[in-house]
Amino acid sequence: MKFSSTVSLFLFGLLFVLCIFPCLFFSVVSAEKNKNAVSSADQSEAEEESVSKVKNSDVTDLLNFLISDEEDEYGAIRYDKTLRPLFGGEGVQVGITMNLDSLGPIDEVNMHFRVDISFRQFWRDSRLDFAQYNGPQYTHNLTLSHEFLERIWVPDTYFPDSLDASKQDVMVPNVLIRLSPDGSILYSSRVTVITKCPMELAAFPLDTQTCILRLECYGYTAEELRLFWKDGIDSVKNSSIHLAQFKMEKIVLTNQTFSFSTGSFIQLQVNFHLKRDLLFFILQSYVPSTFIVMCSWVAFWINREGIPGRACLSITTVLSLITLIGSTNAELPNVSTIKALDIYFGICFLFVFGGLFEFATVVYLAMLEKQEKAEIKAKQDKAQAYMDGLQSKREAQLMSEIADSFSVNIPHRISTTTSPTPLELSSQALSVLESVSRTRKDEYKAMRCSMPKAKQFPSTRTVTASRIELCSRYAFPSLFLLFQLVYWGYYGFLREVSSEQSEPT
């Protein structure tokens, strides 16, 4: 019994050892592998860091060597940043490209505009050529800090017409320096320039303007430094510029050479051809002034007897147009040039003031006509009273003559004959009356015909208030419509001609 229990314990212990030993073995092996892997990774990282330090150290030493101001074996300074490349030989070629980040605002009052550009300059300085050195680190371009600019020669380019110019330095200076193995340098920076833009405002606001951004060297002449557009007509990129009052027609790149007392200099020009958008001025100037003129025509249909209403309407339209003209011109430069908008406002003012003058003329003529009619009526009443008195006098004289005729003829007839009957007496009286009145009839008719009549007076005047009123109702709108056709036709034609001349060729 004891023997079997001893054997059982022995077998159980042996089985336990056999199970635990492989697990311990594999755990130890795995730990050893992990330790070896970590050691190899640390060693690899250390080696890479060491190589990187070696490369960085080599590049730094290389740059310090290239731009060293120490003397070489010939006693000459290796790199003098005060001297241009190829000093004493041919001029250095400096290529220019730009990326137009933003344009505007364009200020007509002060005649200048603002532009934000990414300004890039390309040139080659053979003194910085490091392609001759061996090593993979010397076959790629080197992107350097802006501080490197202080240690090398850079072109003295500037904007001659600028009123203000500055480089962007938000967070850090926005400068890119890239050095190629052959010594070619890319110098890129973000620049904000406010420069002059002389404008011809004769056709304002139906005008097109050309604003020019000029670039040249300040000290180096054309023989020493030659500026040129590196990518030709594509040297200036336009990044979807949107302007408030203008539309970009095109960008033209040119270069010119100017001679001064200090020498000849090359100037690069970026010509921005801009076409003014009319919608703002149509809504703010043309439409209000047109409606003010049309409102002044309402006075032509108001009874001229309603003087307060017509006077208020006419004066209000005149004052409204003067206010509109003043507020518009306050936003424009004080130039002596007569602008297209000034012509439109001037004609509108003439129409409005013409309506006021027509009202005053009609009221004055109506007053004269009323006075003349009153005078004629007074004369006619006086003549009528005179004729009535004359007729009464003639009638009394006629009756006296009739009575005399009766007293002479009828009694004689009665004495020689028998007494006449009433019928005979009436016929005799009538014959005597006709014979007496016939002699006065022509004189009376002439006097009646010579009397003035009120109805015949207006027909003797060629210009009357009613006729002026009627003509004004149709003449003012017709003339204003004719002016609109001439104005928009003329300036629209000039605008199209200017647009066609600015089309890219």
Side-chain angles (χ1 to χ4, degrees):
M1 186 71 179
K2 291 182 180 181
F3 177 78
S4 34
S5 56
T6 303
V7 172
S8 299
L9 290 173
F10 176 76
L11 293 176
F12 179 78
L14 180 61
L15 181 63
F16 177 77
V17 170
L18 292 177
C19 292
I20 294 301
F21 180 77
C23 294
L24 294 175
F25 176 76
F26 286 113
S27 298
V28 172
V29 171
S30 176
E32 187 67 23
K33 288 183 177 180
N34 292 336
K35 182 178 180 180
N36 294 334
V38 170
S39 298
S40 61
D42 293 341
Q43 183 178 1
S44 175
E45 183 177 354
E47 290 177 356
E48 291 180 358
E49 183 178 357
S50 176
V51 172
S52 176
K53 288 182 179 179
V54 171
K55 289 182 179 180
N56 291 340
S57 176
D58 292 344
V59 172
T60 302
D61 293 341
L62 174 63
L63 292 177
N64 291 333
F65 172 74
L66 291 176
I67 59 178
S68 173
D69 56 357
E70 297 179 357
E71 295 181 356
D72 56 12
E73 66 241 8
Y74 301 104
I77 297 177
R78 175 167 181 78
Y79 191 91
D80 188 354
K81 68 177 182 179
T82 62
L83 300 179
R84 66 175 178 85
L86 305 176
F87 180 77
E90 62 181 3
V92 60
Q93 304 285 331
V94 179
I96 302 295
T97 64
M98 298 181 187
N99 187 71
L100 193 61
D101 299 328
S102 67
L103 179 65
I106 299 175
D107 191 349
E108 292 92 352
V109 176
N110 298 312
M111 290 194 178
H112 63 67
F113 72 102
R114 168 177 170 164
V115 59
D116 295 325
I117 57 175
S118 295
F119 182 56
R120 303 183 182 95
Q121 303 177 77
F122 301 82
W123 73 93
R124 183 176 181 273
D125 192 342
S126 58
R127 296 172 294 181
L128 300 179
D129 183 357
F130 61 88
Q132 55 184 328
Y133 299 97
N134 296 326
Q137 66 270 28
Y138 303 139
T139 60
H140 302 286
N141 296 334
L142 301 179
T143 301
L144 306 173
S145 170
H146 64 90
E147 297 176 353
F148 188 70
L149 284 176
E150 300 176 359
R151 306 176 65 182
I152 64 173
W153 176 90
V154 293
D156 59 344
T157 51
Y158 79 111
F159 303 94
D161 289 342
S162 64
L163 302 175
D164 187 21
S166 61
K167 292 182 179 179
Q168 300 290 340
D169 56 356
V170 179
M171 300 300 181
V172 293
N174 300 163
V175 174
L176 168 65
I177 301 296
R178 183 172 294 164
L179 178 62
S180 299
D182 62 348
S184 298
I185 300 175
L186 163 61
Y187 172 26
S188 177
S189 60
R190 292 194 61 214
V191 181
T192 298
V193 182
I194 299 177
T195 184
K196 302 175 185 177
C197 181
M199 300 182 185
E200 178 60 43
L201 300 176
F204 178 88
L206 302 165
D207 59 335
T208 57
Q209 300 294 339
T210 300
C211 294
I212 303 176
L213 178 64
R214 293 180 171 88
L215 171 69
E216 64 182 39
C217 287
Y218 188 81
Y220 292 101
T221 63
E223 292 77 16
E224 297 173 319
L225 191 149
R226 301 190 64 84
L227 295 175
F228 69 97
W229 294 112
K230 183 176 181 296
D231 298 333
I233 61 175
D234 296 327
S235 298
V236 176
K237 304 295 184 181
N238 185 359
S239 302
S240 301
I241 299 300
H242 297 284
L243 301 175
Q245 295 186 12
F246 290 91
K247 181 176 69 174
M248 181 76 71
E249 290 289 300
K250 68 168 184 174
I251 299 176
V252 178
L253 305 182
T254 59
N255 61 307
Q256 298 181 4
T257 302
F258 295 94
S259 297
F260 303 96
S261 59
T262 55
S264 298
F265 297 86
I266 295 178
Q267 183 180 98
L268 302 184
Q269 299 179 354
V270 185
N271 299 270
F272 301 101
H273 292 265
L274 308 172
K275 185 177 182 179
R276 195 181 302 274
D277 191 358
L278 282 178
L279 183 60
F280 173 80
F281 295 95
I282 288 177
L283 296 179
Q284 298 295 324
S285 300
Y286 285 102
V287 171
S289 59
T290 301
F291 274 107
I292 290 174
V293 173
M294 296 175 66
C295 287
S296 67
W297 300 341
V298 177
F300 301 150
W301 301 89
I302 300 177
N303 189 350
R304 60 175 177 266
E305 300 298 331
I307 295 178
R310 292 192 62 170
C312 180
L313 179 60
S314 299
I315 295 175
T316 300
T317 53
V318 171
L319 296 179
S320 300
L321 188 58
I322 291 176
T323 303
L324 178 62
I325 294 173
S327 61
T328 302
N329 288 331
E331 302 176 357
L332 299 177
N334 298 324
V335 296
S336 58
T337 305
I338 298 178
K339 302 178 286 292
L341 188 60
D342 295 335
I343 295 176
Y344 192 89
F345 279 155
I347 298 299
C348 290
F349 185 81
L350 287 179
F351 274 93
V352 173
F353 187 78
L356 179 61
F357 183 76
E358 184 270 347
F359 162 66
T361 303
V362 167
V363 171
Y364 179 72
L365 289 179
M367 181 183 63
L368 290 182
E369 292 177 6
K370 188 175 181 181
Q371 292 177 354
E372 291 176 358
K373 288 182 179 180
E375 293 177 358
I376 291 299
K377 189 175 185 303
K379 292 180 180 180
Q380 185 176 1
D381 293 342
K382 183 177 180 180
Q384 187 67 38
Y386 172 76
M387 293 302 296
D388 291 342
L390 183 62
Q391 184 177 4
S392 300
K393 183 177 180 181
R394 294 299 185 186
E395 290 177 354
Q397 185 178 358
L398 178 61
M399 295 304 295
S400 177
E401 292 177 357
I402 293 173
D404 293 340
S405 298
F406 271 103
S407 62
V408 173
N409 297 324
I410 295 177
H412 174 71
R413 294 178 181 178
I414 294 175
S415 62
T416 57
T417 60
T418 60
S419 298
T421 64
L423 181 59
E424 292 176 349
L425 187 60
S426 297
S427 61
Q428 291 178 2
L430 184 58
S431 62
V432 173
L433 180 60
E434 290 179 355
S435 62
V436 175
S437 62
R438 191 180 298 115
T439 59
R440 307 295 183 182
K441 184 177 182 180
D442 296 336
E443 180 183 356
Y444 179 75
K445 184 184 295 185
M447 293 179 65
R448 293 288 295 178
C449 292
S450 62
M451 291 173 55
K453 296 181 180 179
K455 292 183 179 180
Q456 296 176 353
F457 174 73
S459 61
T460 60
R461 298 182 61 88
T462 58
V463 179
T464 62
S466 299
R467 184 170 297 177
I468 292 178
E469 198 88 301
L470 181 61
C471 293
S472 299
R473 293 175 183 176
Y474 300 98
F476 274 73
S478 300
L479 292 176
F480 191 71
L481 178 60
L482 179 62
F483 161 70
Q484 294 286 341
L485 295 176
V486 173
Y487 180 88
W488 292 107
Y490 175 74
Y491 284 104
F493 174 76
L494 291 182
R495 185 178 174 88
E496 292 300 325
V497 168
S498 300
S499 298
E500 291 177 0
Q501 291 177 350
S502 64
E503 287 295 332
T505 56

